[in-house]
Amino acid sequence: MTIRFRAALACLGLAAALPAIAGGASYRLDADLHHQGHALGSATVVLEAGAPGRLQVDGDDGYALTLVVQPEGEIIRVEGTLSRPGRDDLASEPFAMLLRPGAPARMTTGTFDIGLTVEPAP
């Protein structure tokens, strides 16, 4: 079964207030997700610092990641929420990672493995 992957940027109201704080920086975020050892999908999205964005996979194994990137000196904090819309096996589950630009990192939350790489967007 082919899973259609789509990246949707969602400016959720914070975008207007945060550019002055974050300096209007943009970041490219590469994400991949595995569930119980099976790859569910991967995508790249460009986010403004402090402004929420969303990555979503549709289908039977679908999931949604809501993400925010925020620079903190030489590292970048990525905070997110993982959910499976319409399914009861995973309530919205928050996570946070501190990443060095360009260095991939992975974490496990429940039965999901999330891989992220973030770097400044040109």
Side-chain angles (χ1 to χ4, degrees):
M1 176 175 172
T2 303
I3 297 175
R4 200 175 89 198
F5 199 80
R6 66 182 175 167
L9 295 178
C11 296
L12 302 176
L14 294 175
L18 291 172
I21 297 170
S26 296
Y27 294 89
R28 189 183 84 207
L29 183 70
D30 298 311
D32 69 81
L33 189 71
H34 291 77
H35 180 248
Q36 296 179 335
H38 301 329
L40 295 181
S42 61
T44 299
V45 65
V46 175
L47 301 171
E48 295 292 321
R54 184 174 173 92
L55 296 173
Q56 183 167 327
V57 170
D58 295 326
D60 292 340
D61 291 328
Y63 66 90
L65 285 172
T66 302
L67 302 158
V68 176
V69 296
Q70 189 65 47
E72 294 183 1
E74 294 183 17
I75 60 171
I76 300 168
R77 173 182 291 277
V78 178
E79 295 180 355
T81 303
L82 171 63
S83 62
R84 298 192 72 190
R87 298 195 50 166
D88 294 331
D89 59 343
L90 176 72
S92 293
E93 189 164 328
F95 64 90
M97 296 172 73
L98 297 175
L99 298 114
R100 295 215 176 272
R106 299 199 78 78
M107 72 167 289
T108 300
T109 176
T111 59
F112 289 87
D113 180 60
I114 302 167
L116 298 174
T117 305
V118 65
E119 52 192 335

